[in-house]
Amino acid sequence: MRLLRRHLNAFIRKGYLPQKTELPEEGGWDQPFATALQSIENTFFYGEADPDNQLNNADTLFQFLVQAQLEEKKLAASLSNEVYVLASTMVPGGVDRIKRTTLKTREMVNGKPVVKKTIQETKIIGNIRNYLPEILGAMTKRSLNDTEMLMMALATIRAESASFQPVDEGISRYNTSPVGTKGRHPFDQYDFRPDSLGNNQLGDGALYKGRGFVQLTGRANYEQMGKQLGLNLLDNPDQANEGPAAAAILAQFIKNKEGGIRAALKTNNLVHARKLVNGGSHGLKEFTDAFAAGRQYLGMAIPKKAKTAAKAKP
């Protein structure tokens, strides 16, 4: 306990925690100590690095405190095992997987040729490990490094790009005219939509179709988001599908709606939380399923009042 208090005080001295007063070196698991630990989890691990609240030697939080250099901790985008499991629970399409291949070899047994089969297993790294560190970094940069906002990001990814990678919007009846329609071309229904999308010419629909983790759509949105992030998305819209940019767009989109999202999540109004990002209810089932899975993993109880509010219209 004394060692942990020393390490926590080092964080406080560096200004990495909201606490200003150092902890007494002698003491037990009191409220100031618990508050400092939670601050570490919120700042570096999105609220979860000690799943059983006992701080065992093998826990990510304990190892983080006593092993890494302080400067490295501040700069690192920490992908703890707990955060990975939360992400894989909410977005199972992005998990690591095992590829099994059957290998056949010919051997002679008792003078007769025999085909021997063996199973070769290869671990395929999933998209969560490829993209989540960038998302965590983008969220931290915008002070969205808490469990609720991480769950919001993960649930959005589940609804928009279930494989946990930035994707292009597909052609559908919602964006493209029926076959046989005169002048039909991909995303033609998005053309000339200056009111809601900012598209003002032929071809804008396809050029500024939905991309990324959050499906950024429309000339106006590409322009606004590009200005916020310092990116030229108008001239290079495909950049919205590249890892760092896609992560930044997702985080900034949530930041832009942060107040409303936090208020909606406080009353468990997932319908409204989804609408704030999507503008409608597309992917609502996947979104709510992701939240349910995440909350079950974290052991989060939904207050009775919040359950009642969730039944109300947004």
Side-chain angles (χ1 to χ4, degrees), residues 44 94 213 283 314:
F44 297 98
F213 291 115

Side-chain angles (χ1 to χ4, degrees), residues 180-237:
T181 302
K182 184 178 179 180
R184 178 184 184 272
H185 58 271
F187 303 97
D188 59 354
Q189 292 189 39
Y190 284 172
D191 289 343
F192 301 105
R193 294 271 298 276
D195 51 344
S196 58
L197 298 178
N199 293 339
N200 53 33
Q201 57 188 331
L202 189 69
D204 271 2
L207 190 60
Y208 302 112
K209 62 186 176 183
R211 291 184 178 87
F213 291 115
V214 74
Q215 294 296 276
L216 185 69
T217 308
R219 175 185 285 270
N221 290 321
Y222 274 76
E223 182 176 19
Q224 178 189 2
M225 187 60 67
K227 287 179 179 179
Q228 286 186 289
L229 301 179
L231 300 174
N232 186 2
L233 295 177
L234 279 181
D235 292 335
N236 186 17

